[in-house]
């Protein structure tokens, strides 16, 4: 009986964790260099609570960040264009 309870708790925790996304691959669909933000289409699909498989919606006003060291005042930058692949980090 206790083993069944523990297994149910583990299944529930796994189900919750499967619904948490911390990073997704995406594709830049538009970029505003003046604001440093992009419109991004996440790749893939997700399943709704009623079981439907749907595409992720477009994300707007996504800040584009490049590696930069404040202490050394050095960084890397490059052009961003529509069609570029990216990694969307969610928090």
């Amino acid at each position: 009986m206790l083993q069944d309870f523990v297994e149910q708790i583990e299944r529930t925790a796994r189900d919750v964790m499967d619904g948490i996304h911390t990073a997704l691959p995406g594709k830049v669909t538009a970029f505003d260099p003046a604001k440093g933000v992009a419109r991004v289409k996440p790749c893939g699909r997700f399943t709704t609570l009623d079981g439907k498989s749907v595409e992720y919606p477009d994300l707007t006003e996504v800040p584009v960040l490049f590696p930069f060291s404040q202490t050394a005042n050095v960084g890397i930058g490059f052009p961003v264009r529509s069609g570029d692949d990216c990694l969307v980090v969610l928090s």
Side-chain angles (χ1 to χ4, degrees), residues 11-22:
R11 271 194 302 270
T12 301
R14 263 191 308 262
D15 288 345
V16 168
M17 293 301 290
D18 285 345
I20 297 174
H21 304 291
T22 56

Side-chain angles (χ1 to χ4, degrees), residues 48-79:
T48 62
L49 293 176
D50 60 357
K52 292 181 187 174
S53 178
V54 296
E55 290 186 359
Y56 288 102
D58 284 358
L59 305 174
T60 59
E61 301 293 317
V62 177
V64 176
L65 303 175
F66 295 102
F68 184 79
S69 168
Q70 292 279 1
T71 56
N73 198 28
V74 127
I76 303 171
F78 47 86

Side-chain angles (χ1 to χ4, degrees), residues 2 5-6 10-11 13-14 20-21 23 30 44 51 57 66 79-80 82 87 90-91:
L2 181 59
F5 177 72
V6 169
E10 288 175 349
R11 271 194 302 270
R14 263 191 308 262
I20 297 174
H21 304 291
F66 295 102
V80 176
S82 183
L87 179 65
L90 309 163
S91 62

Side-chain angles (χ1 to χ4, degrees), residues 28-39 62-64 66 78-82:
V28 175
T29 58
F31 179 63
D32 182 346
K35 293 182 181 177
V37 296
R39 176 183 295 264
V62 177
V64 176
F66 295 102
F78 47 86
V80 176
R81 294 194 174 97
S82 183

